[in-house]
Amino acid sequence: MQTVTLTFVNEEDNRKQPPAFDGNFSPVLKQRNTEDCSEFLCSLTGFSYLCKMVDAVVTVFLEKLLGALSEESRVFSEFRDKFETLQSELQLMQSFLKDAERLKRKNETVRRVMANLRELIYEAEDILADCQLQSKDDGLFSSGWFMCTNPFKLPFQYQTGKSLGEINRKIAHIKQDILAYLGVPLLNQLEPINAQNDLMPRWSSPVYDHTQVVGLEGDASKLKEWLFEADKGILAIGVVGMGGLGKTTIAQKVFNDRKIEEHFDRRIWVSVSQNFSEEQIMRSMLRNLGDASVGDDKGELLKKINEYLLGKRFLIVMDDVWSLDVTWWLRIYEALPKGNGSSIIITTRIEKVAQKMGVKEARFHWPKCLSKDDSWLLFQKIAFAADGGECKHPELENVGKEIVEKCKGLPLAIKAVGGIMLCKPSRYHEWRRIADHFRDELAENDNSVMASLQLSYDELPSYLKSCFLCLSLYPEDCVITKDQLVHWWLGEGFIPLRNGRSAIAAGEDCFSGLTNRCLLEVVDKTYHGTISTCKIHDMVRDVVIKMAEDDAFFSTEGKNCRHLGIASSMAQKANHKLRALLSTTKTGEVNKIASNTAKKFCESRNLRAMDLSRSIFDTPLSGLLHQIGVLQHLTYLSVSNTHPLVQLPPSLDKLSNLQVLDVSYCQNLKILPLCIMTFKKLRVLDASHCGSLKYLPKGLRRLSNLEVLLGFKPAKSSQLEGCRIGELRNLIRLRTLGIRLSCCDEIGDTEVNVLVNLQELQHLSISCFDSHGNNDLTAKLDKLFPPQQLHELSLEFYPGKISPSWLNPISLPILRYLSISSGNLARMNEKFWGMTTLSGKLRAYCLNLFPISKKNGRGFNKLCQH
């Protein structure tokens, strides 16, 4: 590919702004292979290649730049000599770039240089995105040359060329500053980088069991004894200690203990943290009791809490309390029923807080740091999780114990460094390097927890740094869904894609990369163990916020940052730098967004991700977002569970770059616009739990990149504008499919084989809610064979009394997870109990049915014991 720019050539000064176009082409328009553009591309590519370990934004931009250039691969042959020249010039900077992330924390000059580089990369990324839009419209990159097709766009072309040249000059200046500041002798002392390591994660799927607890059994036993002894009044227990000591882990172990669960009629867990309101605490308590009250005042909330707990033995955990002002607690405490052996556990770093909340001296528990042996055991369980939690490399044991000793028995620090080592190769020199790095961090910060977390961030691959920084947007103790993170990362291009790999699978690998490093805490799992929600420890949050603010990724004040969390109190002003605007509400809460604020969302034209989920607006959302079409860079849009939403705005048809569209839980949404079927880049379409949605529009077969389709409601034969189930045949990249069926007319006689050839399909969910035991539908479902490589199957409200004939070990030889809930199913088909029993291959199942049996129930009981 040849890369050129459009430049106005004026006899007096070719740097002047272009004149207003009047139909006269007297300022000669010239096509030329400019130094500005080619040097810009070379500079950014070579510089990015070596900055991957420095600044996450550089790697993200490199991915996008190379993706754009790969469409016209002649650029590599056309400019190969310039790429190689630039690369050799930057070799001396290689080691500096490896350590620049740490150096910038210690040196103001380096910090300023890297900040300037980051701003240039963001600016360049916006220019690249604008060029791609122009290219699509006018063929600006056709055959590698800018084409003049629309004279009214000449100012854009002129300004683009000028801006690229300016960026190139500034990057050259930054390179000179770096070399002048450090000097060659220092650079030569450091070892070179293998940039490929940054793209090859050692463990991309979960290998560490997050439920394991080491060395805290005695603490938990002591608390349980106290709880069982409780009699009159309400027993208050205080668990007090420094951050990272395991206070919450101890409380969780007690809270989830089976004997404790049996002993107490009601159990309530409330995460308090530093920023909270009395009303939030009350609503959280009610949610634990199954009541999602929204409109009640505090008096009504207290009354409800009392009614739910009256005559019950209850356990309340108030986790991570900071405030010395406990008047909020005294009001709640007064409303609680007394007696019956009820108890309260308070975890806090401040002894006086627990005292003020009613804890007596005899019921204070101060967890101790882990012993030397327990520290090493916990480290082994994480760092050597792939080897069964045992160190099988004698040469690593001493250096491993040296690392553990620096953690001073603090579980959070041990887990953080253990997560680092899990993702590193089992080579002595690599472990020695990490140990030395940890020693350097401790020299700067004597807090072993914060030092270990900083070390963990420094050792992240650059693409995971971008993913990690996203966590800075979420408030304390916020439960975060994996899907929102993966969709956001996908939308912003944070996920490296290689060799045509599934984008969703790559995103899930990034999520596993953070959980394996113990930077994310598991909250909920599916019945078969897949993590669905997570949260971050408050000390991890402190680190990520600091990193995000240093990189202008996010600011707690919301000013001049590129990523912002939606809050009811926000007074959003136009921010043209904004890349992502996301709902970060806590479980059970909603955003209440004023119209004047919502209307400004569409003024941030560089937005890549906009998630408005769980939000309530005072006027119809389609009207507030009628200008959404100007957000042509938008790749992720979620309006899940928003109200009121009856239809999507017409200007949605301009969003041709959309990769993720989530309209789930929009109960009033009746129809999706036809334009969605033209979004060829779409990878995720979620229309699940949209009760009023009659069908998807015709044309689904054109979405050839679709990997996830949820809530698919096929049209009946009489619904001519709707999509028939037969269109699924073309979606050959589909990995996850959720179908809603209610009558046999939704599956034609020639469409029963529609799923067989979807070779990438791994997860299939079929819901027949509202089918009312339709026998004709049952007959069609019995012929709707899934592909043989199906990994997980979910049947909800199945209308038949016998399971489908294809649910057997021959038709589905690698099925591992089966969920059957509700419906009329009374027994399994004889083929299910074949020679090679499918039940013997299942690793997990979730069954919520009337008794099912082969003859008298015993066969199915055997399955349940598996």
Side-chain angles (χ1 to χ4, degrees), residues 654-670:
K654 301 289 195 301
L655 306 184
S656 58
N657 283 317
L658 268 188
Q659 296 187 46
V660 179
L661 178 60
D662 186 353
V663 296
S664 61
Y665 292 94
C666 291
Q667 295 294 344
N668 297 320
L669 186 64
K670 296 182 178 179

Side-chain angles (χ1 to χ4, degrees), residues 242-488:
M242 65 186 295
L245 195 57
K247 301 182 299 296
T248 299
T249 303
I250 294 169
Q252 286 175 333
K253 185 172 179 61
V254 172
F255 187 83
N256 295 321
D257 184 87
R258 180 168 295 181
K259 291 183 178 179
I260 292 294
E261 185 177 351
E262 294 171 352
H263 182 71
F264 290 97
D265 303 311
R266 296 282 187 272
R267 292 174 304 138
I268 298 173
W269 183 287
V270 180
S271 297
V272 182
S273 299
Q274 298 183 59
N275 300 310
F276 68 93
S277 70
E278 186 176 342
E279 184 177 329
Q280 286 176 327
I281 298 296
M282 294 177 188
R283 294 192 188 282
S284 180
M285 293 176 69
L286 283 171
R287 282 196 296 273
N288 276 258
L289 296 168
D291 188 328
S293 296
V294 177
D296 300 320
D297 60 23
K298 286 190 286 187
E300 286 295 321
L301 294 174
L302 280 177
K303 183 180 177 181
K304 282 189 173 184
I305 292 172
N306 180 279
E307 290 173 351
Y308 277 113
L309 299 180
L310 191 62
K312 306 291 185 182
R313 180 190 291 135
F314 57 83
L315 170 64
I316 300 175
V317 176
M318 290 288 170
D319 183 44
D320 199 19
V321 186
W322 286 73
S323 176
L324 287 169
D325 180 3
V326 296
T327 53
W328 60 275
W329 169 247
L330 297 178
R331 280 190 288 270
I332 293 174
Y333 183 83
E334 284 301 317
L336 297 175
K338 308 302 187 288
N340 296 323
S342 296
S343 302
I344 296 161
I345 297 176
I346 297 142
T347 71
T348 180
R349 301 184 192 184
I350 308 167
E351 180 182 4
K352 196 170 183 179
V353 168
Q355 290 173 342
K356 285 190 167 190
M357 293 180 70
V359 179
K360 305 300 182 183
E361 184 176 352
R363 289 297 178 259
F364 268 95
H365 178 63
W366 300 81
K368 296 179 180 179
C369 294
L370 296 182
S371 67
K372 185 176 180 180
D373 289 341
D374 282 338
S375 295
W376 175 241
L377 179 60
L378 177 59
F379 178 82
Q380 284 188 98
K381 284 183 176 294
I382 300 171
F384 302 107
D387 294 324
E390 295 181 13
C391 178
K392 297 181 179 179
H393 306 274
E395 71 277 11
L396 300 181
E397 184 167 338
N398 287 336
V399 68
K401 288 183 176 179
E402 177 187 331
I403 292 171
V404 172
E405 184 179 0
K406 292 182 173 67
C407 296
K408 302 176 183 178
L410 292 170
L412 182 57
I414 296 169
K415 291 169 72 174
V417 294
I420 296 171
M421 307 320 294
L422 170 63
C423 301
K424 296 293 182 181
S426 300
R427 294 197 294 264
Y428 173 80
H429 292 293
E430 181 68 3
W431 279 52
R432 182 73 261 164
R433 182 185 69 80
I434 300 295
D436 293 343
H437 187 171
F438 194 19
R439 180 197 61 215
D440 294 342
E441 287 296 335
L442 285 169
E444 297 289 326
N445 186 349
D446 191 46
N447 185 322
S448 61
V449 174
M450 299 305 287
S452 66
L453 294 175
Q454 186 62 66
L455 174 69
S456 188
Y457 176 78
D458 289 344
E459 292 294 332
L460 284 175
S462 53
Y463 65 89
L464 275 186
K465 287 182 179 178
S466 293
C467 298
F468 180 64
L469 290 179
C470 291
L471 303 175
S472 61
L473 269 69
Y474 294 92
E476 292 175 286
D477 295 305
C478 180
V479 176
I480 309 165
T481 66
K482 179 181 71 173
D483 286 344
Q484 186 186 49
L485 285 176
V486 171
H487 294 167
W488 177 8

Side-chain angles (χ1 to χ4, degrees), residues 547-764:
M547 294 294 101
E549 289 182 336
D550 286 348
D551 284 348
F553 187 94
F554 167 73
S555 168
T556 51
E557 297 178 355
K559 296 180 180 179
N560 203 36
C561 59
R562 289 183 167 81
H563 304 85
L564 193 62
I566 296 174
S568 298
S569 59
M570 67 186 300
Q572 171 66 12
K573 298 180 180 179
N575 177 359
H576 298 296
K577 290 185 176 182
L578 204 61
R579 299 294 188 90
L581 182 66
L582 288 104
S583 174
T584 55
T585 57
K586 293 186 177 181
T587 304
E589 297 180 2
V590 295
N591 301 306
K592 297 179 181 178
I593 304 176
S595 297
N596 58 344
T597 299
K599 288 179 180 178
K600 293 177 182 177
F601 291 165
C602 295
E603 294 180 12
S604 302
R605 63 177 301 273
N606 288 313
L607 269 180
R608 269 65 168 177
M610 184 160 67
D611 185 333
L612 306 179
S613 59
R614 304 184 301 280
S615 299
I616 297 176
F617 302 85
D618 49 19
T619 58
L621 185 58
S622 56
L624 296 174
L625 298 181
H626 72 282
Q627 293 291 336
I628 198 172
V630 304
L631 306 180
Q632 294 190 43
H633 299 314
L634 202 64
T635 50
Y636 166 38
L637 174 62
S638 174
V639 291
S640 172
N641 205 1
T642 54
H643 182 80
L645 181 64
V646 178
Q647 63 179 7
L648 296 174
S651 63
L652 191 77
D653 63 350
K654 301 289 195 301
L655 306 184
S656 58
N657 283 317
L658 268 188
Q659 296 187 46
V660 179
L661 178 60
D662 186 353
V663 296
S664 61
Y665 292 94
C666 291
Q667 295 294 344
N668 297 320
L669 186 64
K670 296 182 178 179
I671 192 168
L672 292 179
L674 184 61
C675 66
I676 291 176
M677 301 308 160
T678 65
F679 296 164
K680 295 183 179 180
K681 296 181 180 180
L682 204 63
R683 298 180 187 271
V684 178
L685 176 57
D686 188 350
S688 58
H689 305 283
C690 294
S692 301
L693 192 63
K694 298 178 180 178
Y695 51 77
L696 294 189
K698 187 181 296 185
L700 185 68
R701 63 181 179 277
R702 294 198 291 267
L703 304 183
S704 57
N705 286 310
L706 207 60
E707 296 182 26
V708 177
L709 175 60
L710 299 174
F712 173 54
K713 176 72 172 171
K716 302 174 185 177
S717 58
S718 59
Q719 296 168 325
L720 301 181
E721 296 180 354
C723 174
R724 295 286 294 174
I725 196 171
E727 293 201 43
L728 293 176
R729 287 192 182 97
N730 295 65
L731 307 184
I732 57 174
R733 297 186 180 179
L734 208 58
R735 299 177 74 248
T736 301
L737 172 63
I739 306 177
R740 293 168 48 210
L741 298 167
S742 58
C743 68
C744 67
D745 191 33
E746 293 166 342
I747 307 175
D749 292 336
T750 60
E751 296 175 320
V752 291
N753 63 347
V754 66
L755 304 178
V756 173
N757 294 321
L758 298 183
Q759 296 302 311
E760 299 296 321
L761 190 64
Q762 297 180 22
H763 313 279
L764 174 63

Side-chain angles (χ1 to χ4, degrees), residues 120-163:
L120 287 173
I121 299 301
Y122 276 128
E123 183 181 347
E125 187 177 342
D126 289 338
I127 291 174
L128 178 65
D130 286 338
C131 287
Q132 288 175 312
L133 285 175
Q134 294 290 328
S135 173
K136 186 188 71 170
D137 292 341
D138 294 330
L140 287 177
F141 287 142
S142 177
S143 301
W145 294 87
F146 282 103
M147 302 298 293
C148 175
T149 58
N150 188 339
F152 292 100
K153 293 185 178 180
L154 296 181
F156 165 80
Q157 298 161 355
Y158 168 82
Q159 190 59 48
T160 297
K162 182 179 178 182
S163 298

Side-chain angles (χ1 to χ4, degrees), residues 19-217:
F21 182 72
D22 59 358
N24 182 5
F25 284 88
S26 56
V28 180
L29 182 67
K30 198 173 183 181
Q31 281 187 337
R32 62 189 184 90
N33 191 354
T34 68
E35 293 182 0
D36 279 350
C37 192
S38 63
E39 288 181 7
F40 162 74
L41 295 175
C42 293
S43 297
L44 266 292
T45 303
F47 201 74
S48 298
Y49 174 79
L50 298 169
C51 278
K52 285 187 177 187
M53 297 297 287
V54 180
D55 207 354
V57 296
V58 178
T59 299
V60 172
F61 174 68
L62 178 63
E63 286 287 324
K64 295 178 180 179
L65 178 63
L66 294 182
L69 295 180
S70 65
E71 298 174 5
E72 319 230 27
S73 58
R74 278 186 293 167
V75 69
F76 295 108
S77 57
E78 184 78 15
F79 300 121
R80 183 170 297 279
D81 56 336
K82 294 186 178 181
F83 276 114
E84 291 174 350
T85 300
L86 182 62
Q87 184 172 340
S88 63
E89 288 177 355
L90 294 175
Q91 287 295 328
L92 289 177
M93 298 170 59
Q94 196 168 16
S95 294
F96 162 75
L97 294 172
K98 176 181 179 181
D99 288 333
E101 194 68 52
R102 281 185 289 161
L103 288 170
K104 79 176 186 180
R105 296 200 301 272
K106 305 172 185 177
N107 185 282
E108 182 61 35
T109 302
V110 179
R111 184 182 299 115
R112 187 166 55 250
V113 167
M114 299 309 293
N116 291 338
L117 172 63
R118 183 189 60 245
E119 292 302 311
L120 287 173
I121 299 301
Y122 276 128
E123 183 181 347
E125 187 177 342
D126 289 338
I127 291 174
L128 178 65
D130 286 338
C131 287
Q132 288 175 312
L133 285 175
Q134 294 290 328
S135 173
K136 186 188 71 170
D137 292 341
D138 294 330
L140 287 177
F141 287 142
S142 177
S143 301
W145 294 87
F146 282 103
M147 302 298 293
C148 175
T149 58
N150 188 339
F152 292 100
K153 293 185 178 180
L154 296 181
F156 165 80
Q157 298 161 355
Y158 168 82
Q159 190 59 48
T160 297
K162 182 179 178 182
S163 298
L164 293 180
E166 188 66 23
I167 290 172
N168 180 63
R169 285 187 286 274
K170 289 179 179 178
I171 287 179
H173 186 65
I174 286 175
K175 183 184 72 172
Q176 294 171 1
D177 284 349
I178 292 174
L179 291 172
Y181 174 70
L182 284 180
V184 173
L186 176 61
L187 293 173
N188 285 341
Q189 294 174 11
L190 300 173
E191 62 185 25
I193 310 171
N194 181 359
Q196 289 302 314
N197 288 341
D198 194 37
L199 302 174
M200 302 288 287
R202 183 162 176 252
W203 296 115
S204 58
S205 57
V207 292
Y208 166 57
D209 182 2
H210 297 80
T211 64
Q212 295 181 102
V213 176
V214 174
L216 302 178
E217 295 81 4

